Every structure is written in structure tokens, then in C-alpha cells.
Amino acid sequence: MQPWFVDFAERIDDGKPTYLACEECGETALAPRTVCPDCGTRTLEERRLSETATVSATTTIFSSIPEYADETPYTIVVATFDEGVRLTGQLRSDGGEIDRGETVTVGAEERDDGWLVTFAPVD
Amino acid sequence: MTVQIAGVASTQFGEHPSSSTRELFTDAALAALADASLSPGDIEELYAGNFIGDLIDDQAHVGAMLADYVGARRAASMRTESACASASSAARCGVHAIEAGNADVALVGGVEMMHASGIQEVTDALANAADNEYENAAGLTFPGIYALMAQVYMDEFGVGHEELAAVAVKNYENGTANPIAQRQEETDVESVLESPPVAAPLHLQDCCPVTDGASAAVLVSEEYAEDRGLETEVSVAGSGQASDSLALQDRPDLARTRAAERAAEDAYERAGVSPEDVDVVELHDCFTIAEILAVESLGFFERGEGARGAVDGETAVDGRIPVNTSGGLLAKGHPVGATGVAQIVEITKQLEGRHPNQVADPRIGLSHTVGGSGASCVVTVLEGGA
Ligand SMILES: [Zn+2]
């Protein structure tokens, strides 16, 4: 696992997630970038990301890669933050179901081989 | 300098337990050279796609290895890698070499050996096409990424799984007529829906199989073809390649492949044609949803209407715009690093009038190959009657 992702996940775990905003064009992005992916300038500023997001897409995985093969089925969520960035993580929910448009809160879990981003529904 | 296709070949797609990356590619290359009436010593440059060989075979430096075993060890050689679009990138390298006047003969192709490893290892290796940190670390598989795209598309345009399944039904049927196709059985909508779930809403028959295979094409300059008296009928009219964000999460619209739109626009402009001029298409149906997204990106259907193609027969062999007459990735199979040139092989046979699912008198053919979830796309336009 890359050091920048460990740093990114640890900030989520600390309750202080961050994102990057372009001062030139307003584009938003996630680490580890030096250059704005939209306008190409080097005017990215690190800002605090909110801890809740809206579910944009979900899928339940039945057949997986070796690392997660023993944990199927599990649900993947792509959630969009108010700031505009999207993030991918695993659903942590008692019921196990979630729909597009629902609000979730972001978290991070430390595993044997790195960090896992999670999303849990907000009641 | 116009680039012509002198010969093409694919191996049987499926399982080759007693072959290997170098042997299988050699089979395809020698068959393509024989089809071109040329020999290994004629090859000046060789470009070959290969995606997971480093992991499966513990062997990199694949370009030189393949050139060596094909009998062209003096040729300039390189392995190209842009995930599932690796071989299309190889073809572009060969086209550029000839267009620039740097070579008269380029062998382009690709090879992938996927069966020897277990399904988990292959799933793991294929996941390398995605973003390792932002996607794989979350447990997102490759079918999972397309499942996310499918969910958004189906939700936004009111499309059901039955309509996705129609793509598999069409392509499986086409595959039964193609002797090299891995899947030689027809299916129906009910069977697709009842096949085991892989990543909701996609089931097993929505997904391409795991395939061993190799393909090759011999590209020559028009001048060389004349000098050697080669019978060439097909030329490369234009190609385009474009990129998008590596991770799906960084795209503004999750159910839209913008790299494909950009690559298509570029290829159409260079070829001087529009979508209406295209007579036959091989496109990247790694999953049923992928064909629907692709026919829209390529301009054959309005956005949100791509599902109509297979449902109403517009993309059938005898339809308005025949798509994947080979059976596509879904039925022909998807040896990842070979697929782009495998598509060119099929289109060339269509334009030469010798395809097992022959379309009536096609003049313009198109191939579309997607790397990963759409971070790379290559579109190649071929013209018959050269
Ligand atoms: Zn910017």
C-alpha cells in the first residue's frame, strides 16, 4: 500500500479527511496530485472534506480477488461529497442494503495489508 | 503513406494448457505471415500487446521474446500495455511506424495466457487495470466496476437486465458460427438472468470468459505491397486513442465512456468518415453493459438508447449496424492482450468478404477497444476495396 494512501486513510480515521481544490478553475480532486487534472495548473490547495456523502452507485460483489475472497458477498459504494469529489469504499451496515441517493458517513479500517475505506448509512 | 493489411490470423480462443505465451503468439504470427505471403525475415518492426504475462509467467521483456521466437530477432520490437486495449496500441505503433516511413512491414498482435491460473489469481491480475489504491484496496473487482456503471445506466435510462441480456444472446449466437470462438453455445435471456451473480446487477453470462489466445496482423506500406505483388484489399483509414481518469470515481458521469467518444471523434476525422458510413463493427463487450455504452460512444445510438440495438435487432448481422459478428469478447473470448488485434482480424475478414458471419458488401469497418473501465480507448477505422 502506497504511503500517500495510508496518509489519506489515516486522516479519514482521525475524522479529518482532506481533498484538493484548484484555485484556478475550481476542480476538485483527491491526493496525491501536484497538477490539477482539469486545467493543468499547479494551484491545488488542500482543504478539509466533509465526513458525509451521497451514494452515487453500489454493487454487491459475489466473486472477488484473493484478499477479499472469503468475505463475499459484500457491497461496494461510490459516494459523492458535497465538495464534488467521489470516493469508493465498502458498506458497513446492519441491514446490508443501500440505495443511490442515501446519505453515508465515511470511515477507514486498518487491515493486515493496509487501509480500507468504508461507508455507513446515516440514520 | 497508406498502411495496408496484408495478412491476419487468430489462434483458437479458449484453453491451451500445453501451449505458452511465446508458442501461442508464434502460431498466430506465422499464420498471419502465411496469409500475407510473407516470411519472418520480412518483419522490420514488431509490436505486441500482453497484459498479465509479468504476473502469470514471471516473464517481462515480452516484445523481444516474441520477436525472437517468431523468427524476427533482428527487428525493432516492443510489448505494449494499456490493459485490455494493449493490442490496439500495438497496432497503432505499427501503423505509425509505416505512416512515418520508418518501416515497410510491421507485425502487430497480442497474446494472453489466462487459463493456467485460478479464477481468483486471474481476477486479481485483471484488477491491475483499475486503480490499485482507490479501487482494488476497497475490494472493487473488475466486473464490479462495470456493475457500478450498469447500475447507474439502468437507473438513469430505465433499462432492465433483460435488455442487457439481449447483448449476450446476440453475441453468443454470432459466436456459434465463428470457428475460433470460445463459447459455442447459444443462450437466452432467462439463462443470462439465472446464471450465477458475479457483481450485481451483472451475472456470469453478462461477463466475457477467461481466455487463452493470440492474434496477429501484418501491416505493410502501399508501396511495399505493390513491389512485392501482395494481394491487399484492406487499408487503415484512421485511428484514434484517448484517455480518461484511471479511477471510475473521478469521472463526472459514471455511465459514460468519454475516452471512447474522444477516440472515436479522432478516428472518424482522420478517416474522413462519420458513424453513418460504418458498415460493420467489432467493439469491446467485456460485459453486456459495455456494448451498450460503446454503441452510444461511437455515435450509432443516441445516449440512453443503446440497449435498443440488440433488443430490436439493429446490431444483428443483418441489422442496420452489425456489431460483434465474431461473437465479441462475450462469446469469441477475451485474451486481454490480444483482443484489439483480434478485432482487426475479424473486421479485415469482413471487408475481404471471408467472414463466417459475412455482412453484405461492407466497405468501412471499425474496431473499438477499451482499457480498464475506460481509462484508455482505441478506435480504428478500416477501409475495404484497396
Ligand atoms: Zn484547475
Side-chain angles (χ1 to χ4, degrees):
Chain A
M1 180 150 279
Q2 306 289 318
W4 62 263
F5 191 77
V6 172
D7 187 47
F8 174 77
E10 284 178 349
R11 290 183 191 194
I12 294 174
D13 194 43
D14 289 343
K16 295 171 184 166
T18 57
Y19 73 106
L20 302 167
C22 178
E23 293 178 338
E24 186 69 29
C25 76
E27 174 77 347
T28 57
L30 295 175
R33 294 182 189 273
T34 305
V35 181
C36 172
D38 198 44
C39 74
T41 63
R42 297 172 59 162
T43 57
L44 294 176
E45 184 190 59
E46 191 173 278
R47 294 182 191 167
R48 266 292 292 280
L49 185 64
S50 52
E51 289 181 72
T52 58
T54 307
V55 175
S56 292
T58 72
T59 178
T60 300
I61 306 288
F62 293 92
S63 174
S64 192
I65 52 181
E67 190 187 342
Y68 288 104
D70 296 334
E71 298 171 34
T72 55
Y74 57 87
T75 297
I76 296 284
V77 170
V78 175
T80 307
F81 293 80
D82 287 346
E83 292 83 359
V85 293
R86 285 206 185 93
L87 187 58
T88 307
Q90 274 187 31
L91 180 66
R92 290 291 176 264
S93 150
D94 292 339
E97 296 264 310
I98 193 134
D99 289 323
R100 299 181 71 206
E102 286 190 47
T103 304
V104 287
T105 177
V106 66
E109 290 174 9
E110 194 167 12
R111 292 170 62 93
D112 290 344
D113 41 11
W115 283 88
L116 168 65
V117 172
T118 60
F119 289 107
V122 174
D123 294 325
Chain B
M1 187 75 71
T2 302
V3 179
Q4 298 188 330
I5 300 180
V8 294
S10 290
T11 64
Q12 184 72 39
F13 282 10
E15 296 185 37
H16 289 280
S18 59
S19 190
S20 65
T21 299
R22 67 186 80 180
E23 291 171 284
L24 202 61
F25 184 80
T26 300
D27 290 346
L30 293 181
L33 285 165
D35 192 41
S37 304
L38 291 173
S39 52
D42 295 318
I43 300 170
E44 295 167 45
E45 302 201 4
L46 181 148
Y47 299 100
N50 183 247
F51 181 46
I52 60 174
D54 313 51
L55 302 165
I56 301 290
D57 299 341
D58 212 12
Q59 173 71 61
H61 209 170
V62 174
M65 174 181 80
L66 298 179
D68 190 2
Y69 281 80
V70 159
R73 62 167 61 146
R74 293 182 188 82
S77 68
M78 185 170 67
R79 167 252 194 136
T80 58
E81 192 275 298
S82 49
C84 321
S86 296
S88 295
S89 298
R92 261 174 74 83
C93 288
V95 168
H96 289 161
I98 294 171
E99 280 178 346
N102 291 332
D104 283 312
V105 183
L107 185 95
V108 298
V111 56
E112 208 74 66
M113 293 293 289
M114 303 171 71
H115 249 288
S117 313
I119 185 69
Q120 277 184 27
E121 283 64 37
V122 168
T123 305
D124 202 27
L126 292 178
N128 284 5
D131 189 312
N132 190 57
E133 269 65 36
Y134 280 119
E135 297 181 320
N136 297 348
L140 182 54
T141 61
F142 207 65
I145 295 178
Y146 274 89
L148 292 166
M149 298 161 85
Q151 187 206 37
V152 173
Y153 184 90
M154 293 162 80
D155 202 25
E156 288 187 359
F157 298 111
V159 168
H161 193 191
E162 294 81 0
E163 290 161 274
L164 266 60
V167 172
V169 174
K170 168 182 71 78
N171 291 351
Y172 275 44
E173 188 187 344
N174 289 348
T176 60
N178 187 353
I180 73 148
Q182 180 169 7
R183 280 174 166 158
Q184 290 288 345
E185 285 179 351
E186 293 187 14
T187 190
D188 53 35
V189 169
E190 195 178 20
S191 301
V192 177
L193 268 55
E194 286 176 0
S195 63
V198 173
L202 302 178
H203 287 232
L204 194 59
Q205 290 194 5
D206 287 291
C207 309
C208 63
V210 169
T211 309
D212 298 334
S215 295
V218 182
L219 309 181
V220 298
S221 66
E222 188 176 15
E223 200 175 46
Y224 183 89
E226 277 174 26
D227 289 351
R228 294 284 303 255
L230 304 178
E231 290 175 20
T232 50
E233 291 180 43
V234 178
S235 59
V236 179
S239 76
Q241 178 161 356
S243 308
D244 201 347
S245 69
L246 179 63
L248 178 68
Q249 67 185 25
D250 289 334
R251 298 181 203 152
D253 189 336
L254 298 177
R256 189 170 168 184
T257 50
R258 290 180 307 169
E261 293 171 18
R262 288 191 278 263
E265 192 182 336
D266 195 17
Y268 285 138
E269 191 181 323
R270 288 173 197 274
V273 301
S274 63
E276 296 74 38
D277 298 320
V278 178
D279 300 309
V280 61
V281 181
E282 286 289 322
L283 59 76
H284 205 84
D285 60 328
C286 47
F287 302 95
T288 48
I289 181 65
E291 175 160 322
I292 294 170
L293 296 175
V295 293
E296 295 176 7
S297 300
L298 295 168
F300 304 132
F301 289 85
E302 293 292 321
R303 186 136 166 77
E305 293 181 11
R308 218 180 63 213
V311 171
D312 294 349
E314 291 183 61
T315 52
V317 173
D318 61 354
R320 170 174 71 86
I321 176 76
V323 170
N324 287 329
T325 62
S326 71
L329 281 56
L330 284 168
K332 180 166 91 290
H334 182 26
V336 173
T339 279
V341 169
Q343 293 173 321
I344 288 172
V345 170
E346 299 290 336
I347 292 293
T348 299
K349 288 183 176 178
Q350 279 286 2
L351 297 177
E352 291 176 347
R354 54 170 173 140
H355 195 276
N357 277 320
Q358 186 63 46
V359 166
D361 301 322
R363 190 180 71 85
I364 301 288
L366 178 146
S367 69
H368 154 281
T369 331
V370 174
S373 60
S376 292
C377 185
V378 181
V379 173
T380 308
V381 178
L382 303 182
E383 185 171 3

